Amino acid sequence: MPISEGFLRRFGNLTEEYKFYNGEVTLRYNVKDHEYLLVTPKGLVVQDGVTSVCHIIDKSEVLLPWGCKVMGIKLVADIPKAVLPTGEVVVLQQTLADFELAVQKAKTAHKEKLEDAGEVGHIAHNWVENYIKSVLKGDEDRKLELLANMPFDERASNGAVAALDWMQRHNVRWISTERKIYSRKYGYAGTLDGLCTVDSCDDPQCCPHQFKDRLSISDWKTSNYLYPEYRLQTAAYQEAHEEESGDVVEDRWIIRLDKVTAKFEAWHLEAEAFPGDLKAFLDALDLTRSVRSIKADIDKRKDVQRTEKKRVKEVEK
């Protein structure tokens, strides 16, 4: 008896099917494990995800100092203090055990900060996605409703305002949002934030020369930094889209939405940056697969060792 579609979605954590290459390729997405799955006659085969591949790039140069800073701020905030009549702040005496507890709490402060930032970013991203969908559908009522009801969290609202600012300055005309992509040539999948037609702005730092109606890929970021891996990520999206559609994407836009200032910071990448960025992504893809293969070999060896130890114990009994 075939497994029903409802069963697969409920208990298999699978999304609906995504079709590519005129229906020749079908993918599904495992929400729980964050995996793209290629539908084949022999079953579902895990495909590499663009974001996961890019995670192999080390970001510790930025994240370690940031983590230490967050820990220090948390530690200073939690140490008992008192304000003297002179206005001077002094640290109160505490036991070693209390201090050690404060240190332990401070050690996890970066995780709390990341979770909070992730939640704010998710809210901002969802609002922008819904806004673009209302534009694509020509649903003016929904569009006005969203503009009248910005995200409740001020930081998320600032991010949404920054996105609108970028759209307005570049006369952005949307073609699609949250589009699934798949490269049959290289075997990876992902989700493209936006495909659009863009004009240049009047800021020479952003757009050194004037242009109109360029097919572009856009990707929203709410992080505090523009990491190099973002260039690899968008190059992977461009390659997959061009491979399937035959379109020529002229520009990539990586837009950091500032949650404090409500301004945007953009990496505007033109055609000459694409070959190098794609090569870097494919290098990361090869490394990801090589490391996975090595880990699988290590796990296999460990399984053999565990089995042998268990056999020896049974013999000794």
Side-chain angles (χ1 to χ4, degrees), residues 42-56:
K42 295 183 178 180
L44 302 176
V45 180
V46 176
Q47 303 295 288
D48 287 293
V50 172
T51 305
S52 297
V53 168
C54 290
H55 282 167
I56 203 166

Side-chain angles (χ1 to χ4, degrees), residues 7 53 287 294:
F7 183 90
V53 168
L287 180 58
I294 291 171

Side-chain angles (χ1 to χ4, degrees), residues 138-150:
D139 189 341
E140 193 66 23
D141 290 340
R142 175 60 173 156
K143 176 182 170 182
L144 293 174
E145 178 188 357
L146 286 164
L147 291 172
N149 294 277
M150 300 296 283

Side-chain angles (χ1 to χ4, degrees), residues 113-300:
K113 195 81 171 178
L114 282 173
E115 289 175 1
D116 177 61
E119 180 62 25
V120 171
H122 182 69
I123 294 170
H125 195 284
N126 278 354
W127 189 93
V128 173
E129 179 189 343
N130 287 327
Y131 176 83
I132 296 172
K133 285 180 177 177
S134 73
V135 173
L136 287 169
K137 292 177 181 177
D139 189 341
E140 193 66 23
D141 290 340
R142 175 60 173 156
K143 176 182 170 182
L144 293 174
E145 178 188 357
L146 286 164
L147 291 172
N149 294 277
M150 300 296 283
F152 179 77
D153 188 292
E154 183 180 0
R155 296 165 298 172
S157 180
N158 285 338
V161 169
L164 292 171
D165 188 20
W166 178 76
M167 295 180 209
Q168 189 274 328
R169 290 196 193 192
H170 293 89
N171 187 29
V172 176
R173 283 137 290 159
W174 293 104
I175 299 169
S176 65
T177 183
E178 294 297 303
R179 172 182 286 184
K180 300 297 179 187
I181 57 91
Y182 180 69
S183 169
R184 183 158 51 179
K185 181 177 180 180
Y186 296 110
Y188 65 79
T191 303
L192 171 60
D193 277 356
L195 187 68
C196 50
T197 304
V198 176
D199 296 345
S200 60
C201 67
D202 56 6
D203 180 0
Q205 296 271 342
C206 179
C207 301
H209 48 269
Q210 297 297 296
F211 59 84
K212 286 184 70 66
D213 303 329
R214 281 195 180 176
L215 182 63
S216 303
I217 278 173
S218 65
D219 200 72
W220 310 109
K221 302 297 180 187
T222 53
S223 57
N224 291 328
Y225 304 93
L226 285 172
Y227 294 101
E229 69 178 65
Y230 297 159
R231 291 181 55 156
L232 280 62
Q233 184 181 1
T234 52
Y237 296 152
Q238 178 176 343
E239 167 64 24
H241 176 71
E242 290 186 344
E243 182 187 316
E244 180 187 8
S245 67
D247 293 340
V248 176
V249 176
E250 298 176 271
D251 297 74
R252 285 174 290 139
W253 293 85
I254 304 165
I255 308 123
R256 190 181 76 82
L257 309 176
D258 197 295
K259 295 171 286 188
V260 177
T261 66
K263 295 181 180 180
F264 68 84
E265 177 185 5
W267 270 352
H268 174 202
L269 302 167
E270 297 182 278
E272 63 271 14
F274 175 64
D277 289 355
L278 178 62
K279 180 183 182 302
F281 172 78
L282 295 177
D283 288 344
L285 181 60
D286 286 341
L287 180 58
T288 297
R289 290 170 176 171
S290 295
V291 170
R292 183 190 303 129
S293 178
I294 291 171
K295 287 181 176 179
D297 181 66
I298 291 172
D299 290 341
K300 184 177 178 180

